[in-house]
PDB file of all heavy atoms in Angstrom:
ATOM      1  N   ARG H   1      27.873 -33.294 -24.014  1.00  0.00           N
ATOM      2  CA  ARG H   1      26.444 -33.347 -24.325  1.00  0.00           C
ATOM      3  C   ARG H   1      25.680 -33.774 -23.072  1.00  0.00           C
ATOM      4  O   ARG H   1      25.861 -34.897 -22.576  1.00  0.00           O
ATOM      5  CB  ARG H   1      26.163 -34.335 -25.451  1.00  0.00           C
ATOM      6  CG  ARG H   1      24.688 -34.412 -25.856  1.00  0.00           C
ATOM      7  CD  ARG H   1      24.464 -35.511 -26.876  1.00  0.00           C
ATOM      8  NE  ARG H   1      25.058 -35.222 -28.156  1.00  0.00           N
ATOM      9  CZ  ARG H   1      24.420 -34.623 -29.179  1.00  0.00           C
ATOM     10  NH1 ARG H   1      23.147 -34.256 -29.028  1.00  0.00           N
ATOM     11  NH2 ARG H   1      25.039 -34.415 -30.327  1.00  0.00           N
ATOM     12  N   PRO H   2      24.802 -32.911 -22.536  1.00  0.00           N
ATOM     13  CA  PRO H   2      23.965 -33.324 -21.409  1.00  0.00           C
ATOM     14  C   PRO H   2      23.010 -34.441 -21.833  1.00  0.00           C
ATOM     15  O   PRO H   2      22.530 -34.478 -22.970  1.00  0.00           O
ATOM     16  CB  PRO H   2      23.193 -32.054 -21.044  1.00  0.00           C
ATOM     17  CG  PRO H   2      23.919 -30.934 -21.719  1.00  0.00           C
ATOM     18  CD  PRO H   2      24.565 -31.519 -22.933  1.00  0.00           C
ATOM     19  N   VAL H   3      22.756 -35.352 -20.900  1.00  0.00           N
ATOM     20  CA  VAL H   3      21.844 -36.473 -21.147  1.00  0.00           C
ATOM     21  C   VAL H   3      20.604 -36.277 -20.283  1.00  0.00           C
ATOM     22  O   VAL H   3      20.718 -36.113 -19.052  1.00  0.00           O
ATOM     23  CB  VAL H   3      22.509 -37.817 -20.814  1.00  0.00           C
ATOM     24  CG1 VAL H   3      21.546 -38.969 -21.071  1.00  0.00           C
ATOM     25  CG2 VAL H   3      23.794 -37.991 -21.615  1.00  0.00           C
ATOM     26  N   PHE H   4      19.449 -36.286 -20.915  1.00  0.00           N
ATOM     27  CA  PHE H   4      18.192 -36.114 -20.189  1.00  0.00           C
ATOM     28  C   PHE H   4      17.394 -37.417 -20.225  1.00  0.00           C
ATOM     29  O   PHE H   4      17.297 -38.078 -21.260  1.00  0.00           O
ATOM     30  CB  PHE H   4      17.367 -34.980 -20.808  1.00  0.00           C
ATOM     31  CG  PHE H   4      17.852 -33.606 -20.420  1.00  0.00           C
ATOM     32  CD1 PHE H   4      18.942 -33.034 -21.064  1.00  0.00           C
ATOM     33  CD2 PHE H   4      17.239 -32.906 -19.389  1.00  0.00           C
ATOM     34  CE1 PHE H   4      19.401 -31.787 -20.706  1.00  0.00           C
ATOM     35  CE2 PHE H   4      17.694 -31.651 -19.016  1.00  0.00           C
ATOM     36  CZ  PHE H   4      18.775 -31.087 -19.680  1.00  0.00           C
ATOM     37  N   VAL H   5      16.843 -37.754 -19.077  1.00  0.00           N
ATOM     38  CA  VAL H   5      15.981 -38.922 -18.944  1.00  0.00           C
ATOM     39  C   VAL H   5      14.733 -38.487 -18.191  1.00  0.00           C
ATOM     40  O   VAL H   5      14.831 -37.914 -17.097  1.00  0.00           O
ATOM     41  CB  VAL H   5      16.691 -40.064 -18.193  1.00  0.00           C
ATOM     42  CG1 VAL H   5      15.741 -41.249 -18.013  1.00  0.00           C
ATOM     43  CG2 VAL H   5      17.951 -40.491 -18.929  1.00  0.00           C
ATOM     44  N   GLU H   6      13.602 -38.704 -18.803  1.00  0.00           N
ATOM     45  CA  GLU H   6      12.310 -38.298 -18.216  1.00  0.00           C
ATOM     46  C   GLU H   6      12.328 -36.826 -17.845  1.00  0.00           C
ATOM     47  O   GLU H   6      11.802 -36.402 -16.812  1.00  0.00           O
ATOM     48  CB  GLU H   6      11.977 -39.162 -16.996  1.00  0.00           C
ATOM     49  CG  GLU H   6      11.808 -40.642 -17.339  1.00  0.00           C
ATOM     50  CD  GLU H   6      11.467 -41.482 -16.122  1.00  0.00           C
ATOM     51  OE1 GLU H   6      11.339 -40.904 -15.004  1.00  0.00           O
ATOM     52  OE2 GLU H   6      11.322 -42.709 -16.270  1.00  0.00           O
ATOM     53  N   GLY H   7      12.961 -36.023 -18.700  1.00  0.00           N
ATOM     54  CA  GLY H   7      12.962 -34.577 -18.520  1.00  0.00           C
ATOM     55  C   GLY H   7      13.958 -34.046 -17.504  1.00  0.00           C
ATOM     56  O   GLY H   7      13.997 -32.834 -17.268  1.00  0.00           O
ATOM     57  N   ARG H   8      14.792 -34.920 -16.939  1.00  0.00           N
ATOM     58  CA  ARG H   8      15.746 -34.484 -15.923  1.00  0.00           C
ATOM     59  C   ARG H   8      17.182 -34.764 -16.382  1.00  0.00           C
ATOM     60  O   ARG H   8      17.460 -35.777 -17.021  1.00  0.00           O
ATOM     61  CB  ARG H   8      15.488 -35.212 -14.602  1.00  0.00           C
ATOM     62  CG  ARG H   8      14.112 -34.940 -14.011  1.00  0.00           C
ATOM     63  CD  ARG H   8      13.996 -35.534 -12.629  1.00  0.00           C
ATOM     64  NE  ARG H   8      14.935 -34.901 -11.696  1.00  0.00           N
ATOM     65  CZ  ARG H   8      14.989 -35.184 -10.388  1.00  0.00           C
ATOM     66  NH1 ARG H   8      14.173 -36.100  -9.873  1.00  0.00           N
ATOM     67  NH2 ARG H   8      15.852 -34.568  -9.620  1.00  0.00           N
ATOM     68  N   LEU H   9      18.093 -33.827 -16.035  1.00  0.00           N
ATOM     69  CA  LEU H   9      19.496 -34.026 -16.343  1.00  0.00           C
ATOM     70  C   LEU H   9      20.001 -35.251 -15.596  1.00  0.00           C
ATOM     71  O   LEU H   9      19.883 -35.347 -14.374  1.00  0.00           O
ATOM     72  CB  LEU H   9      20.307 -32.785 -15.922  1.00  0.00           C
ATOM     73  CG  LEU H   9      21.822 -32.867 -16.141  1.00  0.00           C
ATOM     74  CD1 LEU H   9      22.151 -32.940 -17.629  1.00  0.00           C
ATOM     75  CD2 LEU H   9      22.521 -31.653 -15.506  1.00  0.00           C
ATOM     76  N   SER H  10      20.610 -36.187 -16.337  1.00  0.00           N
ATOM     77  CA  SER H  10      21.030 -37.450 -15.728  1.00  0.00           C
ATOM     78  C   SER H  10      22.510 -37.757 -15.924  1.00  0.00           C
ATOM     79  O   SER H  10      23.029 -38.700 -15.325  1.00  0.00           O
ATOM     80  CB  SER H  10      20.196 -38.602 -16.289  1.00  0.00           C
ATOM     81  OG  SER H  10      18.822 -38.404 -15.991  1.00  0.00           O
ATOM     82  N   GLY H  11      23.201 -36.985 -16.759  1.00  0.00           N
ATOM     83  CA  GLY H  11      24.621 -37.242 -16.970  1.00  0.00           C
ATOM     84  C   GLY H  11      25.132 -36.462 -18.163  1.00  0.00           C
ATOM     85  O   GLY H  11      24.428 -35.612 -18.739  1.00  0.00           O
ATOM     86  N   PHE H  12      26.383 -36.773 -18.550  1.00  0.00           N
ATOM     87  CA  PHE H  12      27.027 -36.098 -19.671  1.00  0.00           C
ATOM     88  C   PHE H  12      27.840 -37.126 -20.462  1.00  0.00           C
ATOM     89  O   PHE H  12      28.558 -37.944 -19.883  1.00  0.00           O
ATOM     90  CB  PHE H  12      27.980 -35.000 -19.192  1.00  0.00           C
ATOM     91  CG  PHE H  12      27.307 -33.842 -18.512  1.00  0.00           C
ATOM     92  CD1 PHE H  12      27.016 -33.889 -17.155  1.00  0.00           C
ATOM     93  CD2 PHE H  12      26.971 -32.687 -19.219  1.00  0.00           C
ATOM     94  CE1 PHE H  12      26.406 -32.828 -16.513  1.00  0.00           C
ATOM     95  CE2 PHE H  12      26.358 -31.621 -18.591  1.00  0.00           C
ATOM     96  CZ  PHE H  12      26.067 -31.682 -17.233  1.00  0.00           C
ATOM     97  N   ALA H  13      27.706 -37.068 -21.790  1.00  0.00           N
ATOM     98  CA  ALA H  13      28.570 -37.833 -22.692  1.00  0.00           C
ATOM     99  C   ALA H  13      29.597 -36.865 -23.265  1.00  0.00           C
ATOM    100  O   ALA H  13      29.235 -35.816 -23.815  1.00  0.00           O
ATOM    101  CB  ALA H  13      27.748 -38.468 -23.799  1.00  0.00           C
ATOM    102  N   ASN H  14      30.885 -37.230 -23.166  1.00  0.00           N
ATOM    103  CA  ASN H  14      31.951 -36.275 -23.475  1.00  0.00           C
ATOM    104  C   ASN H  14      33.041 -36.909 -24.319  1.00  0.00           C
ATOM    105  O   ASN H  14      33.323 -38.112 -24.203  1.00  0.00           O
ATOM    106  CB  ASN H  14      32.598 -35.769 -22.174  1.00  0.00           C
ATOM    107  CG  ASN H  14      31.587 -35.434 -21.108  1.00  0.00           C
ATOM    108  OD1 ASN H  14      31.004 -34.368 -21.116  1.00  0.00           O
ATOM    109  ND2 ASN H  14      31.357 -36.367 -20.184  1.00  0.00           N
ATOM    110  N   ILE H  15      33.678 -36.072 -25.116  1.00  0.00           N
ATOM    111  CA  ILE H  15      34.844 -36.502 -25.874  1.00  0.00           C
ATOM    112  C   ILE H  15      35.858 -35.363 -25.881  1.00  0.00           C
ATOM    113  O   ILE H  15      35.493 -34.189 -26.044  1.00  0.00           O
ATOM    114  CB  ILE H  15      34.461 -36.924 -27.309  1.00  0.00           C
ATOM    115  CG1 ILE H  15      35.684 -37.424 -28.077  1.00  0.00           C
ATOM    116  CG2 ILE H  15      33.782 -35.806 -28.059  1.00  0.00           C
ATOM    117  CD1 ILE H  15      35.333 -38.111 -29.388  1.00  0.00           C
ATOM    118  N   ARG H  16      37.108 -35.710 -25.630  1.00  0.00           N
ATOM    119  CA  ARG H  16      38.209 -34.737 -25.668  1.00  0.00           C
ATOM    120  C   ARG H  16      39.133 -35.159 -26.801  1.00  0.00           C
ATOM    121  O   ARG H  16      39.597 -36.304 -26.833  1.00  0.00           O
ATOM    122  CB  ARG H  16      38.955 -34.716 -24.342  1.00  0.00           C
ATOM    123  CG  ARG H  16      40.241 -33.907 -24.343  1.00  0.00           C
ATOM    124  CD  ARG H  16      40.804 -33.797 -22.924  1.00  0.00           C
ATOM    125  NE  ARG H  16      40.306 -32.596 -22.274  1.00  0.00           N
ATOM    126  CZ  ARG H  16      40.121 -32.467 -20.960  1.00  0.00           C
ATOM    127  NH1 ARG H  16      40.360 -33.498 -20.156  1.00  0.00           N
ATOM    128  NH2 ARG H  16      39.683 -31.343 -20.453  1.00  0.00           N
ATOM    129  N   ALA H  17      39.413 -34.244 -27.733  1.00  0.00           N
ATOM    130  CA  ALA H  17      40.158 -34.621 -28.933  1.00  0.00           C
ATOM    131  C   ALA H  17      41.132 -33.514 -29.311  1.00  0.00           C
ATOM    132  O   ALA H  17      40.796 -32.329 -29.272  1.00  0.00           O
ATOM    133  CB  ALA H  17      39.192 -34.885 -30.092  1.00  0.00           C
ATOM    134  N   HIS H  18      42.340 -33.936 -29.705  1.00  0.00           N
ATOM    135  CA  HIS H  18      43.420 -33.015 -30.042  1.00  0.00           C
ATOM    136  C   HIS H  18      43.264 -32.568 -31.493  1.00  0.00           C
ATOM    137  O   HIS H  18      43.500 -33.353 -32.421  1.00  0.00           O
ATOM    138  CB  HIS H  18      44.767 -33.706 -29.827  1.00  0.00           C
ATOM    139  CG  HIS H  18      45.950 -32.802 -30.028  1.00  0.00           C
ATOM    140  ND1 HIS H  18      46.771 -32.426 -28.998  1.00  0.00           N
ATOM    141  CD2 HIS H  18      46.431 -32.193 -31.126  1.00  0.00           C
ATOM    142  CE1 HIS H  18      47.720 -31.629 -29.460  1.00  0.00           C
ATOM    143  NE2 HIS H  18      47.528 -31.472 -30.760  1.00  0.00           N
ATOM    144  N   GLN H  19      42.909 -31.295 -31.688  1.00  0.00           N
ATOM    145  CA  GLN H  19      42.636 -30.799 -33.032  1.00  0.00           C
ATOM    146  C   GLN H  19      43.928 -30.602 -33.822  1.00  0.00           C
ATOM    147  O   GLN H  19      44.982 -30.284 -33.268  1.00  0.00           O
ATOM    148  CB  GLN H  19      41.862 -29.484 -32.959  1.00  0.00           C
ATOM    149  CG  GLN H  19      40.601 -29.560 -32.128  1.00  0.00           C
ATOM    150  CD  GLN H  19      39.668 -30.678 -32.559  1.00  0.00           C
ATOM    151  OE1 GLN H  19      39.432 -30.877 -33.749  1.00  0.00           O
ATOM    152  NE2 GLN H  19      39.120 -31.412 -31.584  1.00  0.00           N
ATOM    153  N   SER H  20      43.827 -30.774 -35.138  1.00  0.00           N
ATOM    154  CA  SER H  20      45.009 -30.673 -36.003  1.00  0.00           C
ATOM    155  C   SER H  20      45.622 -29.286 -35.968  1.00  0.00           C
ATOM    156  O   SER H  20      46.846 -29.136 -36.025  1.00  0.00           O
ATOM    157  CB  SER H  20      44.632 -31.040 -37.441  1.00  0.00           C
ATOM    158  OG  SER H  20      44.308 -32.405 -37.534  1.00  0.00           O
ATOM    159  N   ASP H  21      44.800 -28.257 -35.862  1.00  0.00           N
ATOM    160  CA  ASP H  21      45.327 -26.890 -35.780  1.00  0.00           C
ATOM    161  C   ASP H  21      44.259 -25.982 -35.187  1.00  0.00           C
ATOM    162  O   ASP H  21      43.093 -26.053 -35.575  1.00  0.00           O
ATOM    163  CB  ASP H  21      45.723 -26.378 -37.165  1.00  0.00           C
ATOM    164  CG  ASP H  21      46.359 -24.995 -37.100  1.00  0.00           C
ATOM    165  OD1 ASP H  21      47.584 -24.921 -36.857  1.00  0.00           O
ATOM    166  OD2 ASP H  21      45.632 -23.992 -37.257  1.00  0.00           O
ATOM    167  N   ILE H  22      44.671 -25.125 -34.244  1.00  0.00           N
ATOM    168  CA  ILE H  22      43.735 -24.177 -33.618  1.00  0.00           C
ATOM    169  C   ILE H  22      44.300 -22.757 -33.646  1.00  0.00           C
ATOM    170  O   ILE H  22      44.060 -21.951 -32.762  1.00  0.00           O
ATOM    171  CB  ILE H  22      43.425 -24.585 -32.166  1.00  0.00           C
ATOM    172  CG1 ILE H  22      44.697 -24.618 -31.316  1.00  0.00           C
ATOM    173  CG2 ILE H  22      42.701 -25.920 -32.121  1.00  0.00           C
ATOM    174  CD1 ILE H  22      44.427 -24.596 -29.820  1.00  0.00           C
ATOM    175  N   GLY H  23      45.065 -22.448 -34.725  1.00  0.00           N
ATOM    176  CA  GLY H  23      45.675 -21.131 -34.805  1.00  0.00           C
ATOM    177  C   GLY H  23      46.960 -21.077 -33.996  1.00  0.00           C
ATOM    178  O   GLY H  23      47.644 -22.080 -33.810  1.00  0.00           O
ATOM    179  N   GLY H  24      47.293 -19.897 -33.483  1.00  0.00           N
ATOM    180  CA  GLY H  24      48.529 -19.748 -32.734  1.00  0.00           C
ATOM    181  C   GLY H  24      49.721 -19.547 -33.649  1.00  0.00           C
ATOM    182  O   GLY H  24      49.592 -19.404 -34.866  1.00  0.00           O
ATOM    183  N   GLY H  25      50.910 -19.569 -33.059  1.00  0.00           N
ATOM    184  CA  GLY H  25      52.110 -19.170 -33.772  1.00  0.00           C
ATOM    185  C   GLY H  25      52.745 -20.238 -34.623  1.00  0.00           C
ATOM    186  O   GLY H  25      53.744 -19.954 -35.297  1.00  0.00           O
ATOM    187  N   ALA H  26      52.238 -21.461 -34.611  1.00  0.00           N
ATOM    188  CA  ALA H  26      52.822 -22.534 -35.409  1.00  0.00           C
ATOM    189  C   ALA H  26      51.717 -23.460 -35.880  1.00  0.00           C
ATOM    190  O   ALA H  26      50.831 -23.828 -35.107  1.00  0.00           O
ATOM    191  CB  ALA H  26      53.853 -23.317 -34.598  1.00  0.00           C
ATOM    192  N   ALA H  27      51.768 -23.850 -37.137  1.00  0.00           N
ATOM    193  CA  ALA H  27      50.796 -24.807 -37.652  1.00  0.00           C
ATOM    194  C   ALA H  27      50.926 -26.114 -36.882  1.00  0.00           C
ATOM    195  O   ALA H  27      52.024 -26.569 -36.569  1.00  0.00           O
ATOM    196  CB  ALA H  27      51.028 -25.047 -39.136  1.00  0.00           C
ATOM    197  N   GLY H  28      49.783 -26.710 -36.569  1.00  0.00           N
ATOM    198  CA  GLY H  28      49.773 -27.896 -35.727  1.00  0.00           C
ATOM    199  C   GLY H  28      49.600 -27.581 -34.264  1.00  0.00           C
ATOM    200  O   GLY H  28      49.421 -28.478 -33.442  1.00  0.00           O
ATOM    201  N   SER H  29      49.685 -26.285 -33.921  1.00  0.00           N
ATOM    202  CA  SER H  29      49.377 -25.776 -32.578  1.00  0.00           C
ATOM    203  C   SER H  29      50.362 -26.211 -31.498  1.00  0.00           C
ATOM    204  O   SER H  29      50.093 -26.033 -30.317  1.00  0.00           O
ATOM    205  CB  SER H  29      47.943 -26.136 -32.165  1.00  0.00           C
ATOM    206  OG  SER H  29      47.033 -25.565 -33.092  1.00  0.00           O
ATOM    207  N   TYR H  30      51.516 -26.767 -31.886  1.00  0.00           N
ATOM    208  CA  TYR H  30      52.632 -26.911 -30.954  1.00  0.00           C
ATOM    209  C   TYR H  30      53.638 -25.825 -31.314  1.00  0.00           C
ATOM    210  O   TYR H  30      54.341 -25.937 -32.318  1.00  0.00           O
ATOM    211  CB  TYR H  30      53.276 -28.291 -31.069  1.00  0.00           C
ATOM    212  CG  TYR H  30      52.586 -29.362 -30.280  1.00  0.00           C
ATOM    213  CD1 TYR H  30      51.707 -30.239 -30.897  1.00  0.00           C
ATOM    214  CD2 TYR H  30      52.798 -29.504 -28.912  1.00  0.00           C
ATOM    215  CE1 TYR H  30      51.059 -31.232 -30.179  1.00  0.00           C
ATOM    216  CE2 TYR H  30      52.159 -30.488 -28.181  1.00  0.00           C
ATOM    217  CZ  TYR H  30      51.296 -31.348 -28.820  1.00  0.00           C
ATOM    218  OH  TYR H  30      50.652 -32.322 -28.095  1.00  0.00           O
ATOM    219  N   ASN H  31      53.686 -24.793 -30.514  1.00  0.00           N
ATOM    220  CA  ASN H  31      54.541 -23.649 -30.797  1.00  0.00           C
ATOM    221  C   ASN H  31      55.672 -23.592 -29.781  1.00  0.00           C
ATOM    222  O   ASN H  31      55.513 -23.034 -28.688  1.00  0.00           O
ATOM    223  CB  ASN H  31      53.726 -22.359 -30.752  1.00  0.00           C
ATOM    224  CG  ASN H  31      54.560 -21.128 -31.059  1.00  0.00           C
ATOM    225  OD1 ASN H  31      55.722 -21.240 -31.443  1.00  0.00           O
ATOM    226  ND2 ASN H  31      53.980 -19.952 -30.878  1.00  0.00           N
ATOM    227  N   PRO H  32      56.848 -24.157 -30.107  1.00  0.00           N
ATOM    228  CA  PRO H  32      57.946 -24.167 -29.144  1.00  0.00           C
ATOM    229  C   PRO H  32      58.471 -22.788 -28.789  1.00  0.00           C
ATOM    230  O   PRO H  32      59.241 -22.644 -27.831  1.00  0.00           O
ATOM    231  CB  PRO H  32      59.029 -24.992 -29.857  1.00  0.00           C
ATOM    232  CG  PRO H  32      58.324 -25.745 -30.919  1.00  0.00           C
ATOM    233  CD  PRO H  32      57.188 -24.881 -31.336  1.00  0.00           C
TER     234      PRO H  32
END
């Protein structure tokens, strides 16, 4: 998410998260 202060881009708030399933060949998305 871009962060704006006084109308100018000032930074980014971010989160990285391991999803339970994103398709692919095995449920849970770990496909050996």
Side-chain angles (χ1 to χ4, degrees):
R1 182 186 291 267
V3 180
F4 282 80
V5 177
E6 297 180 1
R8 298 188 64 176
L9 178 66
S10 299
F12 294 85
N14 316 279
I15 182 168
R16 171 172 268 151
H18 185 112
Q19 306 306 316
S20 292
D21 184 84
I22 60 163
S29 300
Y30 276 99
N31 181 7

